[in-house]
Amino acid sequence: MPARNAAFAEESAEVEVLFAEGERWGGISKRIKSSLDKLNSSGDVMREAAGPGLSSAASFTPTYEGIVVNTSGVDIDKLLAACEKIRKPLEGKSNEESIIRGGPASVGLQSYQASLKRVENSLSQLTVTKLRVNQEAVNELKGLIGLGKSQLQELFRSTLEGDSQRVEPLHYITKQLPFPTIPQDKVSDLGSIDSFISSFSARTGSYSQRESPTMQVYADVRGAYLFGSLQNLATASVSTLKKKNPNEVYRQGTSGIGTYASGIEGIFLAEFSNISAIFNRDAWASAFESTTRKALAEFAKTLREINMHIKSNITTDCFLSYEIMEIVGGLAFRLDGTTGQLKQQLTDAIRPIRETAKSSLPELLEDIRRRVGSMQLLPTDGAAIPFTTEVMTRLQVLTLYPQPLSSIMASLGDGNWNSPSGSMGSSSSLPTLDVGADGDKLLTHYTYDTIDTLLTSLDGRARTLLKARSLIGVFLANNIAIIDRMIRSSDLSSILDPKHPSNKLDLWRKRGAAAYLDSWREPCAALMDVQYTNRGARPPSGNSGVIDSTAVIKGLSGKDKDSIKEKFKSFNTRFDELTARHRDLAMEREVKGVMAGEIQRMVEPMYARFWDRYHEIDKGKGKYVKYDKGSMAAQLSNLG
C-alpha cells in the first residue's frame, strides 16, 4: 500500500511538472507571437522605405531563439548597401554648405563652382534613390544650390555693373575711337558663370536658354547702359530739327540723326563683341536682341517724332526723310552683315519715315499748284519769282539722295507721283513695285514733270494777273532762264537727259519768246508795202543793184507818198515805245540777249529794205525817216 502511494505521488509530481512546463511554453508562445507581430510591422516599414531599390532583393528567414519566423523579408546585404548609398551623398554636406553660404568671394569663383557641382552630384544621387526618408536632405541640397545660383547671378550682375557706366558717344565718334568693351579678365569670369548656370539649366530642364537668368541680367544691365549712353544723341536728333528760317529747305547733314546712327553702330558692335565672348554661339542672337531692345525702342520713338516734324513741314523737310532712309538703311545692312541681327527691327523703325518719303513726291507737285494758284500778284516787269528758285533748289537737293529716291520712286511706279497725294493711301491706287525701273530715268522723269508743273501753273496764273501777252512771254522766259541756270550749275545737268520724252523746256522757251515777239510784229507790219508789177517798169537801180530811192519816190502817187510817210511815223512811234518798254522790263541776262537777237533778226532786215526804197520821202530832213540803217542797227544792238 505504501508502495502504491509512493508511486502515485511520484506520478502526481511529474504531472505538476508537465503542467508547469506547459504554462512556461505558453508564455513563450505568446512572447514569440508578439515579437513576430513587431517584426512584421518593422519589415513593412523598411520595405516601404527601401522602395524600388530593394524590390528585387531575395527574402530572408529570421529566427527567434531557434524558432523559424515565417515572413517575407529583404536581403540584408543589399539593405546595408542601400543605407551606405543613402549616407554617402551627405558626407561633407556641412563643409559644402559653409563654402556656398560664404559666397564666391570667400574661396574664389572656380572653387565655389566646384563646390556647387559636388552638391549638385549629391542631389542627383539622392534623387535617384527616391527614398522619402531623404526628402529633407534633398530639400536642403536644393536650397543650397538655389542660394549658390543666386550668388553667382549677383556676382554676374555686379561684375557687369562695374563696367557699365554710361559713356559719351561723341567722344568716340569725333575721335574715331572704338567704343569700350568689357575687360578680358571679367569677360572670362562672366563666361564661366554663364556656362555653369546654363549647363545646370540644361541638365535640370528648369528653363530654356532664351530665358537664361544670366542672359536676363546681362540684358537688364547692358541694355540700360546702351540706352543711357545713346540718350543724348536721341535728344540731339530731335532738337536739331529746329531751323532759324522755317521756310528754308533742309540741308544735308544738319540733322543729328547721322551721328545718332553712328553711335548706335559703334556701341552695338562693341556690345556684340562682348556677347560673343561671354555666351555660347547659339545664344548670341537672343542675347543681342534682348540687350539692344530698349535702345532700339528709343531709336524708333525718336524716328516717330522726327516723322511728325517732317509731315508738318513736308515741302522743306521731306529731304530729311530721304536722308534717314539712306542712313538707317546702311546701318541695318552693316549690322546685319556683322551680327546677323536687327535688320527687321530697323526696317520696322524706319517704315513711317519711308511712307512719308513716298507721299512727299506727289505732295511737292501739289504744293507747286497750290502755291502758284494762290498768288495774288506777279511782277509787273516780268521778273522771275523767288518760288521758281525754291522749286529748283528742291530738285537740286533731290540729286543728293539717289538711292532712297530710286527705291521709293520704283515703289510708286513711273509717273504715279502725278496722282493727288491724298489718294496714295487708298489700296485701289497703290501701284506695284517697278522692279525693272532705272533710278536715274525715274529721277529725270520726276524732275521734268516738276518743271512742267511749275511752268504750266505760272503760265495759267500769268494769264489771269498779267494779261499782256508780251509781258507773259518775258515772265515765262525769265523763269525758264532761272531753271536752265540752276540745272547747269548743279548735278541735275548730269542726270537730266535732254531727249527724255517728258522734257518740254524747249517748247516752253519757244512759247515764251513767241509771246514776247508778238508785240514787235506790230511795227514790222508798218514796214509792209505794196508793189504793183503791172504799172510799168520797175524802179531803176544802180549798177551795184542798190535801189534808187529817189526814183522810187518819184514813181509814187501823192496818196502812196502820204501812206509811206504815215508808215515811217507809225513805225517810229511804236518802235520807240517798245524799245523803252524793253529797257524797263526786268530780263535775265540770258533772256535779254536772246530776245534782242530775235528782235534784231525780225526788225532789221525789214527796216533796211523799207529804208532802201523810201528814205528819200523827206529828202533827208528826218521828219519822217528818224533812223537810217546804221542807227537802227545800233538801236537794236543796244537792246541786248
Side-chain angles (χ1 to χ4, degrees), residues 197-207:
I197 294 179
S198 297
S199 61
F200 177 82
S201 304
R203 289 191 297 273
T204 60
S206 56
Y207 44 77

Side-chain angles (χ1 to χ4, degrees), residues 72-380:
S72 60
V74 294
D75 189 322
I76 297 300
D77 291 337
K78 289 190 176 183
L79 181 61
L80 293 174
C83 292
E84 177 65 19
K85 189 175 181 180
I86 293 170
R87 181 189 64 80
K88 189 173 181 180
L90 299 177
E91 290 180 352
K93 172 177 172 292
S94 60
N95 183 49
E96 305 295 1
E97 182 175 2
S98 175
I99 292 175
I100 292 173
R101 293 192 182 280
S106 62
V107 293
L109 179 60
Q110 300 303 319
S111 298
Y112 189 80
Q113 289 179 341
S115 177
L116 274 174
K117 181 68 174 176
R118 290 192 295 270
V119 172
E120 183 191 350
N121 290 337
S122 297
L123 177 61
S124 299
Q125 294 174 17
L126 286 178
T127 304
V128 168
T129 63
K130 298 183 180 179
L131 298 177
R132 286 186 297 178
V133 294
N134 292 333
Q135 192 60 47
E136 183 177 354
V138 168
N139 291 337
E140 290 178 358
L141 293 182
K142 285 184 176 179
L144 283 177
I145 291 175
L147 175 63
K149 286 171 56 182
S150 296
Q151 291 184 338
L152 283 178
Q153 290 173 34
E154 187 57 35
L155 176 61
F156 191 87
R157 178 183 293 275
S158 62
T159 302
L160 280 176
E161 289 176 342
D163 289 279
S164 296
Q165 287 75 32
R166 57 179 293 180
V167 298
E168 180 48 63
L170 281 176
H171 171 76
Y172 300 94
I173 296 171
T174 56
K175 295 186 176 181
Q176 297 183 338
L177 298 173
F179 278 77
T181 55
I182 300 172
Q184 186 58 44
D185 58 335
K186 294 186 178 181
V187 164
S188 179
D189 288 346
L190 292 169
S192 176
I193 295 172
D194 173 71
S195 178
F196 181 86
I197 294 179
S198 297
S199 61
F200 177 82
S201 304
R203 289 191 297 273
T204 60
S206 56
Y207 44 77
S208 67
Q209 180 63 52
R210 188 173 182 82
E211 299 170 341
S212 165
T214 48
M215 188 183 298
Q216 293 174 4
V217 170
Y218 189 93
D220 181 39
V221 175
R222 297 298 291 181
Y225 157 76
L226 296 179
F227 176 83
S229 296
L230 294 170
Q231 187 62 51
N232 287 342
L233 296 183
T235 303
S237 296
V238 176
S239 64
T240 52
L241 296 175
K242 299 178 181 178
K243 296 177 292 187
K244 293 182 178 179
N245 180 7
N247 296 322
E248 181 185 4
V249 173
Y250 172 78
R251 290 183 293 110
Q252 187 179 37
T254 55
S255 168
I257 194 67
T259 305
Y260 192 5
S262 296
I264 287 176
E265 182 175 3
I267 203 168
F268 276 23
L269 290 177
E271 202 58 41
F272 186 76
S273 177
N274 292 332
I275 289 171
S276 59
I278 293 172
F279 296 98
N280 293 328
R281 187 178 186 88
D282 57 357
W284 290 358
S286 55
F288 189 53
E289 188 275 332
S290 58
T291 302
T292 57
R293 186 181 298 136
K294 187 176 182 181
L296 280 178
E298 181 65 15
F299 183 58
K301 175 175 174 284
T302 301
L303 290 181
R304 288 194 297 272
E305 292 184 31
I306 294 175
N307 187 52
M308 291 176 62
H309 170 84
I310 294 173
K311 292 175 74 172
S312 300
N313 303 272
I314 190 71
T315 58
T316 57
D317 289 355
C318 61
F319 310 99
L320 176 57
S321 67
Y322 313 146
E323 181 174 289
I324 292 175
M325 285 180 59
E326 188 167 29
I327 289 172
V328 180
L331 172 64
F333 177 80
R334 292 188 297 274
L335 283 178
D336 183 66
T338 303
T339 69
Q341 301 298 314
L342 305 186
K343 185 175 182 180
Q344 187 59 49
Q345 291 90 325
L346 290 169
T347 300
D348 292 341
I350 203 178
R351 184 170 287 113
I353 295 285
R354 179 178 173 83
E355 291 305 313
T356 298
K358 285 174 62 177
S359 68
S360 70
L361 296 177
E363 177 59 32
L364 288 175
L365 296 177
E366 188 62 28
D367 177 69
I368 292 172
R369 301 183 186 100
R370 184 170 55 247
R371 290 179 61 180
V372 172
S374 64
M375 291 179 180
Q376 299 302 312
L377 294 173
L378 290 177
T380 56

